[in-house]
Amino acid sequence: MFQLSKKVEYGLIALRHMAMHPMGQVFTAKELAREYDVPYELLAKVLQKLARAGIVHSTQGVRGGYALGSDPRAMTVATVIQIIEEEKPMIAECYVEGPDSCSIFDSCTIRKPLGKVQRDLNILFDKMTIHQII
Amino acid sequence: MFQLSKKVEYGLIALRHMAMHPMGQVFTAKELAREYDVPYELLAKVLQKLARAGIVHSTQGVRGGYALGSDPRAMTVATVIQIIEEEKPMIAECYVEGPDSCSIFDSCTIRKPLGKVQRDLNILFDKMTIHQII
DNA sequence: TTGAAATCCGACTTCAGGAGTCCGATATTG
DNA sequence: CAATATCGGACTCCTGAAGTCGGATTTCAA
């Protein structure tokens, strides 16, 4: 309940690891998985998503792997979540899927007030960068 | 992902409804469920939990129902979530269940940094009261 | 005193989504 | 050509959210 997914956690751990080393250094999914004792296949999937989004740069083949694709100071936790989950962290479904997703949308009286919480939450995640978690 | 549960939503809606009427006024779970088009049995369970916690006062029997048990100005969203979910809204499992709940606890490098987010989140939910969502 | 209306509470079902796994394809290097 | 990567879809497993049901208890009023 109300938790970040393992995928997001693994992604943040991996990004942090890369951010702690010289920019451009390449790491394989396998070594990252071993280092942090994380399921390799799952981490691999996460890194692939981050690669598709351009946050990390991937190179295939022998001696391939992943390297940071942009400045960790400009890389927010919000962005990372957004990429991995394919949506922003929203505290209510209707904020994501719209009116038709909620059977009580019209009679709901807390949507607007909770919007304030949502906005503050967005600010929270937007403020925190990968660089800051080092 | 990262959403409040329906139970919490229903609870907040019901509490808000009561807070908008004169203190002490009694509402049945049935009429609240009808008013907001919410599953009766589920809302009933939520109200029972809130009653056990003393947040609302319940009276059984004919002409019974629920009434606000304390000042909505002192009733925080954090408290309501805590009562209904039986735990605070935590962004990582290890914050709730401790080291043994997470297989990578020792190698996890993001627990501390995310603690900052967690604290800010707590403040957010602590700041918002039922009175404010009117 | 009896029936209706309400809370109370546990047990149950259903289902979606999170977590993890597997496999084959493709790319790259030596 | 073989070894080592990423790539990406399909799959299983399982937990927990959401909702339902049934029966017990309490209370009021006719």
Side-chain angles (χ1 to χ4, degrees), chain A residues 1-6 8-10 12-13 16-17 35-39 77 85 87-94 96 101-104 107-110 113-114 116-118 120-121 124-125 127-128 132-134, chain B residues 1-6 8-10 12-13 16-17 35-39 77 85 87-94 96 101-104 107-110 113-114 116-118 120-121 124-125 127-128 132-134:
Chain A
M1 168 78 251
F2 215 75
Q3 285 172 13
L4 297 172
S5 69
K6 290 291 176 186
V8 168
E9 291 182 12
Y10 299 161
L12 290 174
I13 289 174
R16 177 187 180 277
H17 182 92
E35 170 85 12
Y36 295 101
D37 204 20
V38 148
V77 172
E85 298 295 338
E87 64 183 318
K88 285 192 179 167
M90 297 288 201
I91 63 174
E93 189 182 14
C94 59
V96 187
S101 66
C102 183
S103 60
I104 66 163
S107 61
C108 180
T109 53
I110 58 168
L114 284 188
K116 164 93 174 96
V117 175
Q118 179 68 61
D120 289 352
L121 188 69
L124 221 63
F125 283 130
K127 260 195 323 200
M128 174 152 290
Q132 282 173 22
I133 69 177
I134 292 180
Chain B
M1 169 78 254
F2 215 75
Q3 285 172 12
L4 297 172
S5 69
K6 291 290 177 187
V8 167
E9 291 183 12
Y10 299 161
L12 290 175
I13 289 174
R16 177 187 180 277
H17 182 91
E35 170 85 12
Y36 294 102
D37 203 20
V38 148
V77 172
E85 297 295 339
E87 65 184 49
K88 286 194 178 165
M90 297 287 201
I91 64 173
E93 189 181 14
C94 59
V96 187
S101 67
C102 183
S103 61
I104 65 164
S107 59
C108 180
T109 53
I110 58 169
L114 285 187
K116 163 92 175 99
V117 175
Q118 179 67 61
D120 289 352
L121 188 69
L124 220 63
F125 283 130
K127 261 195 324 202
M128 174 152 290
Q132 283 174 20
I133 70 177
I134 293 179

Side-chain angles (χ1 to χ4, degrees), chain A residues 7-8 10-12 14-15 18 43-58 66-67 69 75 79-84:
Chain A
K7 285 201 263 188
V8 168
Y10 299 161
L12 290 174
L15 288 172
M18 298 193 219
L43 177 59
K45 287 206 162 306
V46 169
L47 288 168
Q48 284 163 28
K49 247 181 195 170
L50 294 174
R52 262 172 275 161
I55 267 207
V56 298
H57 179 248
S58 74
Y66 298 92
M75 199 180 291
T79 305
V80 175
I81 296 175
Q82 154 92 353
I83 290 169
I84 295 177

Side-chain angles (χ1 to χ4, degrees), chain B residues 59-103:
Chain B
T59 55
Q60 288 196 1
V62 176
R63 303 222 148 256
Y66 299 91
L68 229 47
S70 51
D71 185 1
R73 288 167 206 271
M75 199 179 290
T76 71
V77 172
T79 305
V80 174
I81 297 176
Q82 153 92 352
I83 290 168
I84 295 177
E85 297 295 339
E86 294 172 9
E87 65 184 49
K88 286 194 178 165
M90 297 287 201
I91 64 173
E93 189 181 14
C94 59
Y95 294 148
V96 187
E97 309 287 345
D100 293 344
S101 67
C102 183
S103 61

Side-chain angles (χ1 to χ4, degrees), chain B residues 5-43:
Chain B
S5 69
K6 291 290 177 187
K7 286 201 263 187
V8 167
E9 291 183 12
Y10 299 161
L12 290 175
I13 289 174
L15 287 172
R16 177 187 180 277
H17 182 91
M18 299 192 216
M20 287 186 68
H21 291 78
M23 186 75 179
Q25 185 167 343
V26 172
F27 303 89
T28 68
K30 200 166 286 184
E31 68 179 309
L32 289 172
R34 199 174 345 96
E35 170 85 12
Y36 294 102
D37 203 20
V38 148
Y40 160 68
E41 292 92 347
L42 201 48
L43 177 59

